[in-house]
Amino acid sequence: MRAVSALPPLVVRLSHALVALCLLTLLATPALAAPPSSFSAAKRLAESEIYVDQDRTFYCGCAFDFDKGPDLASCGYRIRKQPKRAARIEWEHVMPAYDFGRQRQCWQEGGRRHCRANDPVFRQAEADLVNLVPSVGEVNGDRSNMRYGMATSADAYQYGQCPAKVDFPERTFEPPAAVRGDIARTYWYMRDTYGIQIGRQQQQLFQAWAKADPVSAWERERNRRIARIQGSGNPYVEGDTSNGQREGKTEEKTVEKTVEKGEGKNEAKTAERSSAEAPAWTKGRDSSPLDPERAAAAAFSCTPRKTCSKMRSCEEARYHLTQCGNARLDGDGDGTPCEALCG
């Protein structure tokens, strides 16, 4: 029987080249996007992939280096009590772990450690890059799980020229105006993704904040970077959703419902967004003149904290309810403050 003749040399060379090309293609193809599996992994990714070319802390705008820590002199920061924590960068959960953890059964059974060990949904929420920002360590520690709002008590502390305030008597943390919209949009994302409840007063406050501080260029870029890693970003950054609701009638899946193979629906509509001027240290933020609504609000102040009898107009009462978070003005919780003025 005659032996089969060998393949021509040219065919052999082409076959080898094709195999090599396939291997190179496989090696060059990026891995599928996947969220970090733990808080530790999220912090490493945030440093190396999200904030690799950024050098300003979230609340205070201090120049920083991940190895050397924050340059407190660059932002006029005044240490309150903890010099060691003030000398390092920490990763702040915009929505505290307490807020997205306490509504879960694992938190009732053993707190954060128990959730981290036993609840995959909590672990994903804790490691979600959308909710992580770099902060001066002392500010992160002081804020802890305080709610956001306006710090109005006489004992409220401001960190020197850093425009953030902590109000221990009122358990309130007041963020700078330049990042209040970022905070609102992050809370809405966490609410929708993990089924977290946000109170009516907090929602009204966030709507006002998002309108006054629209999405900036850096916020969009940060969202794109996060989406490349996690597979998706924050839809409240991607679209015009300054009222804290998705555009049109949408079908949403929370992480919890995805795990359970269930789905939920949310009906919402969009609101018109206005723009605001931002401090010079906030890179890439959009700025434009004040709109009439914000120009009128500029005449009001959250200090001192007022009752309805001290309000001069319905506009002032609404400002104190939505901007200052003074829920006492809306006793029946219908969203209308000081019924005698605004009813």
Side-chain angles (χ1 to χ4, degrees), residues 306-320:
K306 292 184 176 182
T307 61
C308 286
S309 63
K310 301 293 184 182
M311 298 296 171
R312 294 167 293 179
S313 65
C314 179
E315 288 72 21
E316 184 180 18
R318 290 190 183 280
Y319 177 86
H320 277 261

Side-chain angles (χ1 to χ4, degrees), residues 39 92-108 111-112 115-116 119-128 130-132 143-145 186-187 189-198 256:
F39 183 32
E92 158 90 321
H93 284 100
V94 175
M95 175 183 281
Y98 175 79
D99 280 4
F100 58 76
R102 64 191 172 96
Q103 299 180 27
R104 306 194 62 77
Q105 183 61 36
C106 63
W107 196 275
Q108 311 304 320
R112 186 169 183 169
C115 283
R116 187 178 287 171
D119 189 335
V121 175
F122 176 86
R123 285 197 297 272
Q124 184 168 337
E126 187 184 37
D128 200 312
V130 172
N131 195 38
L132 294 179
R143 192 256 165 148
S144 183
N145 60 6
T186 299
Y187 258 75
Y189 164 86
M190 294 294 287
R191 175 199 63 193
D192 294 348
T193 306
Y194 301 101
I196 310 301
Q197 296 180 1
I198 298 179
E256 179 76 22

Side-chain angles (χ1 to χ4, degrees), residues 149-150 200-209 293 297 302 315-327 329 335 337:
M150 307 307 290
R200 177 189 293 270
Q201 302 300 335
Q202 189 96 114
Q203 170 68 3
Q204 290 177 336
L205 181 67
F206 287 157
Q207 286 175 338
W209 283 5
E293 180 181 344
C302 293
E315 288 72 21
E316 184 180 18
R318 290 190 183 280
Y319 177 86
H320 277 261
L321 175 64
T322 60
Q323 292 281 12
C324 308
N326 189 351
L329 303 179

Side-chain angles (χ1 to χ4, degrees), residues 284-307:
R285 291 195 171 272
D286 307 320
S287 62
S288 61
L290 294 174
D291 62 20
E293 180 181 344
R294 293 187 60 240
F300 305 133
S301 170
C302 293
T303 306
R305 199 174 183 87
K306 292 184 176 182
T307 61

Side-chain angles (χ1 to χ4, degrees), residues 17-322:
L18 182 61
V19 170
L21 180 61
C22 291
L23 288 174
L24 287 173
T25 302
L26 287 172
L27 291 173
T29 302
L32 293 174
S37 58
S38 68
F39 183 32
S40 297
K43 290 188 285 186
R44 290 192 295 270
L45 281 171
E47 178 178 340
S48 63
E49 302 293 333
I50 309 300
Y51 289 88
V52 61
D53 56 356
Q54 300 299 305
D55 63 354
R56 297 284 168 170
T57 62
F58 184 67
Y59 294 122
C60 297
C62 302
F64 76 91
D65 179 273
F66 282 112
D67 295 324
K68 298 178 182 178
D71 179 0
L72 302 182
S74 69
C75 58
Y77 185 94
R78 184 173 71 240
I79 297 173
R80 184 186 68 82
K81 191 177 182 180
Q82 305 179 70
K84 288 185 178 180
R85 290 194 74 171
R88 68 187 188 218
I89 292 295
E90 294 181 1
W91 289 101
E92 158 90 321
H93 284 100
V94 175
M95 175 183 281
Y98 175 79
D99 280 4
F100 58 76
R102 64 191 172 96
Q103 299 180 27
R104 306 194 62 77
Q105 183 61 36
C106 63
W107 196 275
Q108 311 304 320
E109 295 172 353
R112 186 169 183 169
R113 288 187 180 181
H114 186 73
C115 283
R116 187 178 287 171
N118 297 282
D119 189 335
V121 175
F122 176 86
R123 285 197 297 272
Q124 184 168 337
E126 187 184 37
D128 200 312
L129 292 167
V130 172
N131 195 38
L132 294 179
V133 293
S135 171
V136 174
E138 182 181 42
V139 177
N140 179 39
D142 284 352
R143 192 256 165 148
S144 183
N145 60 6
M146 289 184 183
R147 65 178 176 86
Y148 287 113
M150 307 307 290
T152 58
S153 79
D155 295 324
Y157 182 87
Q158 182 169 335
Y159 303 87
Q161 296 177 29
C162 166
K165 295 180 183 178
V166 60
D167 192 337
F168 289 104
E170 296 288 334
R171 294 287 301 162
T172 300
F173 184 84
E174 180 182 328
V179 298
R180 291 174 188 169
D182 306 50
I183 289 168
R185 289 180 283 273
T186 299
Y187 258 75
W188 293 332
Y189 164 86
M190 294 294 287
R191 175 199 63 193
D192 294 348
T193 306
Y194 301 101
I196 310 301
Q197 296 180 1
I198 298 179
R200 177 189 293 270
Q201 302 300 335
Q202 189 96 114
Q203 170 68 3
Q204 290 177 336
L205 181 67
F206 287 157
Q207 286 175 338
W209 283 5
K211 186 175 183 181
D213 174 31
V215 178
S216 69
W218 160 241
E219 195 177 353
R220 289 192 184 92
E221 173 58 26
R222 174 180 178 270
N223 200 49
R224 284 192 288 268
R225 296 179 186 186
I226 290 172
R228 285 199 295 267
I229 296 172
Q230 297 192 164
S232 61
N234 185 348
Y236 294 100
V237 174
E238 296 168 359
D240 182 6
T241 49
S242 56
N243 66 344
Q245 297 178 327
R246 299 286 185 87
E247 184 173 2
K249 187 174 182 181
T250 64
E251 188 173 273
E252 299 179 89
K253 292 185 180 180
T254 64
V255 171
E256 179 76 22
K257 291 178 181 178
T258 301
V259 170
E260 297 175 355
K261 307 298 184 183
E263 297 181 352
K265 295 184 178 180
N266 177 46
E267 189 170 323
K269 57 183 179 179
T270 58
E272 184 178 356
R273 200 174 50 185
S274 63
S275 57
E277 294 185 356
W281 59 262
T282 310
K283 295 182 176 181
R285 291 195 171 272
D286 307 320
S287 62
S288 61
L290 294 174
D291 62 20
E293 180 181 344
R294 293 187 60 240
F300 305 133
S301 170
C302 293
T303 306
R305 199 174 183 87
K306 292 184 176 182
T307 61
C308 286
S309 63
K310 301 293 184 182
M311 298 296 171
R312 294 167 293 179
S313 65
C314 179
E315 288 72 21
E316 184 180 18
R318 290 190 183 280
Y319 177 86
H320 277 261
L321 175 64
T322 60

